[in-house]
Amino acid sequence: MTHADQSTPATTIPAEHRADVETLWDYHNMHHELRPCDIGIGLGSHDLGVAVIATDLYHRGYFPRIVFTGANAPTTIERFPRGEAVHYREYAIAHGVPSDAILVEPVATNTQMNFQMTRALFNSSNIPSSAIVMSRPYQQRRAFATAKKVWEDLDVLCASNPLPFDDYVESIGDVAKVINMLVGDTQRIEVYANRGFAIAQEIPPAVQRAYQRLIDAGYTSRLLEDG
């Protein structure tokens, strides 16, 4: 049995894979320096940290409005039965964000739809020109690449709840799930650009090598079969 398919979820990174995992973790972080923007866009997922960082940045004055976007995926229906965006909204309101400062887009089921349907919430006279896009930490790069393809004139900055990797894994409760997602998102950087869903992003050789070693170790559950 590999570390990738343990039957009991673990929350500790296997020592032999730590360097490769941290390489991918750092690659997906866009390291953007934040500044005030027209809106915040919180991308739905299994990670409540998206709502946490959106709420924090709203209170710190980085944007006057938040759009939470996302329906459900098989990985989120149990945790967020009313839908990802709806649960994020509930968290934000419970932590002091006024309800009239939040828009909910409850239909999108992928990142491309997140941006298409968020843009459709605005009419031609009030389309935002800048946004802080908030996502799972390892979705930042793919979110940026997708936004620039779908909404190319939007000035995009990326942010996530700023947890160290070990603390993030602890919050999710399953290290193999997180590593599998990291590997899957790395594959999607190239595949989605090739399919026209996102702009191309450089993948440095060190990232490519780390990605391949993790695949060889069995972290393959989130790979696209036709990728």
Side-chain angles (χ1 to χ4, degrees), residues 132-167:
I132 296 177
V133 174
M134 294 153 289
S135 68
R136 298 164 293 182
Y138 51 83
Q139 191 186 5
Q140 280 192 29
R141 184 171 292 278
R142 181 162 62 87
F144 176 84
T146 305
K148 297 306 293 183
K149 182 70 174 185
V150 174
W151 194 345
E152 60 184 88
D153 55 347
L154 185 68
D155 183 11
V156 177
L157 298 174
C158 293
S160 301
N161 198 27
L163 290 177
F165 182 76
D166 291 277
D167 292 344

Side-chain angles (χ1 to χ4, degrees), residues 35 76 83 98 138 190 195 205:
R35 61 181 182 275
T76 66
Y138 51 83
E190 181 174 11
R195 294 180 182 179

Side-chain angles (χ1 to χ4, degrees), residues 14-219:
E16 65 271 31
H17 302 316
R18 176 173 285 276
D20 290 335
V21 169
E22 290 182 346
T23 294
L24 297 194
W25 179 258
D26 185 69
Y27 171 69
H28 287 285
N29 187 334
M30 297 297 290
H31 301 285
H32 284 160
E33 184 174 342
L34 300 184
R35 61 181 182 275
C37 289
D38 293 339
I39 58 169
I41 301 174
L43 304 183
S45 71
H46 62 267
D47 183 359
L48 188 62
V50 174
V52 174
I53 187 63
T55 299
D56 177 59
L57 293 179
Y58 173 85
H59 286 308
R60 290 164 60 191
Y62 277 94
F63 36 73
R65 292 176 297 175
I66 307 170
V67 178
F68 289 126
T69 168
N72 274 120
T75 55
T76 66
I77 187 67
E78 183 174 343
R79 187 170 191 182
F80 300 134
R82 293 183 297 284
E84 300 154 3
V86 171
H87 280 266
Y88 285 3
R89 177 182 184 272
E90 291 170 352
Y91 176 92
I93 290 173
H95 290 81
V97 179
S99 60
D100 60 4
I102 303 172
L103 296 173
V104 168
E105 186 294 296
V107 177
T109 56
N110 60 56
T111 309
Q112 185 178 40
M113 288 178 66
N114 287 140
F115 291 111
Q116 290 171 332
M117 302 190 82
T118 294
R119 193 179 192 281
L121 295 175
F122 301 93
N123 61 46
S124 58
S125 65
N126 69 347
I127 295 177
S129 62
S130 61
I132 296 177
V133 174
M134 294 153 289
S135 68
R136 298 164 293 182
Y138 51 83
Q139 191 186 5
Q140 280 192 29
R141 184 171 292 278
R142 181 162 62 87
F144 176 84
T146 305
K148 297 306 293 183
K149 182 70 174 185
V150 174
W151 194 345
E152 60 184 88
D153 55 347
L154 185 68
D155 183 11
V156 177
L157 298 174
C158 293
S160 301
N161 198 27
L163 290 177
F165 182 76
D166 291 277
D167 292 344
Y168 182 79
V169 169
E170 189 71 30
S171 76
I172 299 300
D174 185 343
V175 70
K177 178 178 182 178
V178 174
I179 298 175
N180 276 303
M181 297 290 279
L182 266 171
V183 171
D185 264 48
T186 304
Q187 180 199 39
R188 284 161 175 79
I189 294 296
E190 181 174 11
V191 170
Y192 284 0
N194 291 340
R195 294 180 182 179
F197 300 156
I199 65 169
Q201 297 277 284
E202 180 185 2
I203 305 177
V207 172
Q208 295 177 20
R209 290 191 295 270
Y211 163 73
Q212 188 59 55
R213 282 191 293 265
L214 290 171
I215 289 175
D216 293 343
Y219 293 100

